[in-house]
């Protein structure tokens, strides 16, 4: 059997990380883990339960009541995020959650909680995980690390189209502000800020189609094997 590795994909918000991760996991028969979904589900729990996340005690107590699980949707063959047994895959993508998630993801206790579970998921390798700190903190020894980027305007347009399909009241301005705010907080926080790992390969997909970005990443994968 071919050697199975860990592939990490980090980068800015909405630059196609999950699209590439899904392409690679499908092709290679690897597990795909969307680490951002975990931070989003924790945020949803905090919002629903009025957890004051500036209070460490409250955060610690709340985390004890959170169980996160990815369960495969048999139709789409993709893992979906479950929070305490409830499928929250669609709820966590809403802008109300996106507006708070970067603040919640900056909390030390929240990161420790999520990272421990992510590392367990990668113990058997054969995994593609996307996020912000996967190549730097979660799997610093991963065999293939990709850092994705794309022009701001292109990223805003892509995310706007995605969100508009579900909510036609959304404006480009709202989406742009949210992306800029998240990128700022994610790259300036004290713990595990978004950084390119020294050994990560940069993939700028501003002018690439999904097929072209997939071919580029697959080439890197093959070269490393
Ligand atoms: O990938 P995403 O946009 O769904 O991630 C949502 C937020 O979660 C993102 O703004 C920052 C945070 N995040 C993080 O801090 N670390 C990760 N590994 C993944 C996401």
């Amino acid at each position: 059997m071919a050697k199975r590795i860990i592939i990490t994909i980090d980068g800015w918000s909405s630059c196609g990380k999950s699209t590439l991760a899904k392409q690679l996991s499908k092709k290679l028969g690897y597990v795909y883990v969307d680490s951002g979904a975990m931070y989003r589900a924790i945020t949803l729990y905090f919002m629903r339960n009025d957890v004051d996340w500036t209070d460490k005690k409250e955060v610690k107590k709340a985390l004890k009541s959170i169980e996160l699980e990815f369960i495969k949707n048999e139709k789409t063959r993709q893992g979906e995020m479950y929070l305490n047994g409830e499928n929250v895959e669609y709820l966590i993508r809403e802008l109300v959650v996106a507006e708070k998630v970067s603040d919640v993801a900056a909390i030390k206790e929240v990161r420790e909680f999520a990272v421990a579970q992510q590392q367990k998921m990668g113990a058997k390798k054969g995994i593609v995980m996307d996020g912000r700190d996967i190549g730097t903190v979660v799997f610093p020894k991963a065999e293939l690390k990709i850092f994705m980027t794309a022009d701001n305007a292109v990223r805003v347009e892509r995310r706007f189209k995605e969100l508009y399909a579900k909510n036609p009241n959304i404006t480009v301005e709202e989406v742009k502000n949210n992306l800029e705010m998240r990128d700022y907080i994610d790259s300036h926080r004290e713990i595990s800020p978004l950084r390119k790992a020294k050994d990560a390969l940069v993939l700028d997909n501003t002018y690439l189609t999904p097929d072209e970005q997939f071919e580029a990443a697959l080439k890197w994968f093959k070269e490393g094997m």
Side-chain angles (χ1 to χ4, degrees):
M1 197 170 132
K3 183 179 128 193
R4 291 166 76 77
I5 66 165
I6 293 180
I7 303 176
T8 67
I9 304 179
D10 290 303
W12 305 98
S13 294
S14 302
C15 61
K17 299 185 297 296
S18 68
T19 303
L20 178 63
K22 283 177 194 163
Q23 289 168 319
L24 285 170
S25 70
K26 193 172 167 205
K27 171 79 181 173
L28 305 171
Y30 280 21
V31 171
Y32 163 51
V33 176
D34 169 3
S35 70
M38 299 171 73
Y39 293 100
R40 286 172 182 264
I42 295 168
T43 304
L44 179 66
Y45 181 92
F46 284 5
M47 290 170 74
R48 277 178 169 176
N49 293 281
D50 290 323
V51 175
D52 172 4
W53 56 76
T54 61
D55 180 337
K56 290 225 175 287
K57 265 196 200 152
E58 271 203 41
V59 167
K60 279 187 190 166
K61 191 168 158 239
L63 288 172
K64 286 193 183 123
S65 309
I66 297 180
E67 205 174 295
L68 301 177
E69 208 181 348
F70 287 100
I71 299 179
K72 196 187 257 179
N73 175 327
E74 289 306 332
K75 265 196 202 149
T76 61
R77 314 292 299 160
Q78 297 291 340
E80 294 186 342
M81 186 79 254
Y82 281 69
L83 166 63
N84 294 335
E86 175 193 352
N87 185 334
V88 293
E89 180 63 31
Y90 300 98
L91 274 177
I92 59 172
R93 309 289 162 194
E94 290 186 2
L95 201 56
V96 282
V97 174
E99 277 167 356
K100 303 284 180 229
V101 65
S102 286
D103 288 333
V104 171
I107 302 168
K108 181 171 163 267
E109 288 73 13
V110 168
R111 299 208 72 80
E112 285 169 357
F113 176 83
V115 169
Q117 296 183 32
Q118 291 155 6
Q119 288 174 333
K120 257 194 208 160
M121 293 177 205
K124 289 189 188 147
K125 302 212 175 189
I127 189 168
V128 187
M129 192 178 290
D130 73 351
R132 305 293 186 289
D133 61 338
I134 311 303
T136 50
V137 174
V138 182
F139 299 120
K141 294 187 178 152
E143 291 85 349
L144 175 59
K145 298 181 185 177
I146 299 173
F147 188 87
M148 287 184 73
T149 179
D151 269 6
N152 278 16
V154 170
R155 295 195 286 126
V156 170
E157 195 189 316
R158 286 178 189 158
R159 182 50 61 102
F160 174 73
K161 275 191 190 151
E162 221 176 86
L163 291 173
Y164 184 82
K166 288 182 225 151
N167 171 13
N169 294 320
I170 210 152
T171 65
V172 173
E173 204 55 28
E174 276 176 309
V175 175
K176 182 173 180 283
N177 290 342
N178 179 254
L179 282 197
E180 284 173 359
M181 178 198 72
R182 284 201 290 138
D183 282 346
Y184 183 84
I185 301 175
D186 296 343
S187 56
H188 286 80
R189 67 182 174 222
E190 222 172 284
I191 311 153
S192 312
L194 169 65
R195 292 271 182 279
K196 182 186 105 52
K198 278 199 184 82
D199 50 349
L201 302 165
V202 178
L203 183 53
D204 181 338
N205 69 5
T206 306
Y207 303 108
L208 299 183
T209 64
D211 280 352
E212 287 167 341
Q213 79 171 14
F214 174 53
E215 286 311 319
L218 195 60
K219 190 166 163 266
W220 285 336
F221 172 83
K222 287 178 180 160
E223 282 166 3
M225 301 308 279

